[in-house]
Each structure stands twice: as C-alpha cells, then as structure tokens.
C-alpha cells in the first residue's frame, strides 16, 4: 500500500469520521458546521472539529455554504454502501437467452423492488417473477437471469419439501384458481409467508420429470424455467391440476393433487 493510500485509509479509520461522511452523503446540499455536528450527534465541539479536520481537504471541502463531500468522499461512501444493497437496488434490464412462450419475443431480466423478473420485451409478459432478497443479487449482476432461476428453484425445493424458505417453519400447499390456470400456493404456519407459482412448478424436478428428460439426453435441472414452456401451462382436471411435459414430441402427463403432491405420472 502506498503512503498516500495509507493516509487515506487512516483518515477514515474512525467510526465518527464515517458518520460525518455518511451525513454529508445523505444531505441535500452543503451543511453548516453546527447543522452537521447536530446530525452526527456529537456534543463535544472540539472532538468533532478534530475529526472533521482529518477529512477536510481530501474528502470534504468547506465552501461558503458549508461542508460538502468532494469526489473522493463520494467514492468512499459509495464503496462503503456497495456491499450493502438497499431496498432501492435495481439491476438490469439485460438480455436473456430464450424467447417468450406467448409471442416468441425477446426476453430480458431485471431486478427491482426486491423482485427478479424475466419478461418479454414485446408483449410484456412476466415469464418468471418472484421475490428475491437484495443480498442474493449482490455479485450476480452479470448473469441476473440465472441467479433468479436458481433462487426460485431453491424456494420451490424448500416449499415442496415442506419447510418455509423464510423461517423454516412447516408449509402447507393447496391449489387455487388464477387467470393462468391452476396455481400452487404454499403457506407457512409459523411466519405466515406465502409462496406461489403455477401448479406445474411443484413438478419441476419430480423424479418422473427428471427421468423423462434424461431419456432425451437432457438434465431438466439445468434448463432455465423460461425455456420450459410446459411450466406455464397447467390445466384443470376436475379438482386436480394436469401438467403435460413435452420433449421432442414425446409427452409425459402428471397430476398434481389438491395438496400439491404429484399423484400420477403417465406417458401419453
Ligand atoms: Zn411475449
Ligand atoms: Zn415461515
């Protein structure tokens, strides 16, 4: 580390100085000395002035209007924040390999409001959408769609195994009516969390489906959800859901019962 960098790290190696930088970052404009001290919440004016002095010049400048961050100060605060995604974090959109089930249009992935989306750029259909925590996206921005797919599959595995992805409490599943055909809903008895998707989701990695894909030389666990058009199209069959998996012209018909168990699988 060069002497210069050491001095820079030294200048901010203090919790009070970090608080000063953050308050200046959050402020709308320049802050007067007394206003800044109030926000940082330090009574001892001498102590406050000492630490502010260590930042002045390199990170903070004093203008006629008061104190404000210099470019290096802004860089520093943004680096401090970069490891901690906030609720406002948004990533993308970025192009996705695949096409829309409905209209054949191009797909793109984006992360916004703590939700991951893979959607059609032509008709706007949300091919994949689900709640994804910001920390999961951190570091996966370059392949957002794969991260969304992996996260949602993990949630489905947890729900179908009977435990809540949020709190690990027991989940119960049921079928529900929706505009997109039969819907799978898992509810947690402990935290009240609710997770939903098409009824086909519960069959995504069912042994019969895994074996069917394997017969066709593919691993269904490695095909992203937006390339499995059958997942989007469950149908009602009385009180149960019927899921038809089609690969290379062959079909496998699955039945998902009211409690979201796969109750039957037969080759069509
Ligand atoms: Zn479309
Ligand atoms: Zn829960």
């Amino acid at each position: 580390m060069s002497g210069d960098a050491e001095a820079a790290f030294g200048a901010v190696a203090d919790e009070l100085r970090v608080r000063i930088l953050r308050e200046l970052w959050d402020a709308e404009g320049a802050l007067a000395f007394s206003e800044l001290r109030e926000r940082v919440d330090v009574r001892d004016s001498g102590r406050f002035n000492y630490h502010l002095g260590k930042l002045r010049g390199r990170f903070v400048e004093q203008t006629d209007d008061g104190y404000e961050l210099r470019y290096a100060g802004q860089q520093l605060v943004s680096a401090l924040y970069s490891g901690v995604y906030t609720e406002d974090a948004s990533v993308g959109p970025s192009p996705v390999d695949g096409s829309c089930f409905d209209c054949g249009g191009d797909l793109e992935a984006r992360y916004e409001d703590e939700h991951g989306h893979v959607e059609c750029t032509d008709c706007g259909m949300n091919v994949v959408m689900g709640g994804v925590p910001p920390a999961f996206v951190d570091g996966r921005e370059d392949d957002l769609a794969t991260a969304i797919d992996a996260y949602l599959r993990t949630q489905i595995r947890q729900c179908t195994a009977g435990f809540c992805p949020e709190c690990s409490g027991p989940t119960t599943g049921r079928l529900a009516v929706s505009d997109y055909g039969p819907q799978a809903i898992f509810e947690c008895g402990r935290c009240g969390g609710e997770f939903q998707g098409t009824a086909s989701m519960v069959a995504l990695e069912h042994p019969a489906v895994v074996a069917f894909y394997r017969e066709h030389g593919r691993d269904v666990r490695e095909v992203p959800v937006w390339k499995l058009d059958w997942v989007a199209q469950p149908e009602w069959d009385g009180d149960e859901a019927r899921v038809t998996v089609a690969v290379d012209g062959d079909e496998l018909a699955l039945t998902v019962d009211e409690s979201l168990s796969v109750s039957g699988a037969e080759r069509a």
Side-chain angles (χ1 to χ4, degrees), residues 100-107 120-125:
C100 175
F101 300 140
D102 225 34
C103 75
D106 292 337
L107 300 178
C120 176
T121 56
D122 288 350
C123 74
M125 184 168 90

Side-chain angles (χ1 to χ4, degrees), residues 117-156:
H117 303 259
V118 174
E119 61 190 11
C120 176
T121 56
D122 288 350
C123 74
M125 184 168 90
N126 256 307
V127 181
V128 178
M129 187 187 77
V132 179
F136 188 85
V137 179
D138 193 0
R140 298 181 173 90
E141 295 86 347
D142 290 345
D143 198 357
L144 187 59
T146 303
I148 293 169
D149 184 61
Y151 185 79
L152 295 180
R153 278 171 186 261
T154 304
Q155 279 205 325
I156 293 163

Side-chain angles (χ1 to χ4, degrees), residues 46-115:
R47 178 169 167 248
F48 177 72
N49 193 33
Y50 169 77
H51 288 291
L52 180 59
K54 293 290 179 187
L55 296 170
R56 206 181 291 133
R58 191 194 297 263
F59 299 107
V60 173
E61 73 180 322
Q62 188 178 7
T63 67
D64 290 342
D65 299 326
Y67 291 90
E68 50 189 31
L69 286 181
R70 298 194 61 191
Y71 181 69
Q74 291 175 8
Q75 292 285 92
L76 193 70
V77 180
S78 103
L80 289 171
Y81 276 123
S82 69
V84 188
Y85 272 65
T86 67
E87 289 173 10
D88 301 329
S90 65
V91 181
S94 52
V96 173
D97 175 33
S99 51
C100 175
F101 300 140
D102 225 34
C103 75
D106 292 337
L107 300 178
E108 64 182 19
R110 70 190 162 85
Y111 182 76
E112 209 173 279
D113 298 331
E114 302 193 335
H115 278 72

Side-chain angles (χ1 to χ4, degrees), residues 101-102 180 198 200 229-235 242-244:
F101 300 140
D102 225 34
Y180 315 101
T198 66
S200 320
D229 55 353
W230 56 269
V231 171
Q233 298 155 348
E235 287 171 343
R242 193 169 180 81
V243 177
T244 307

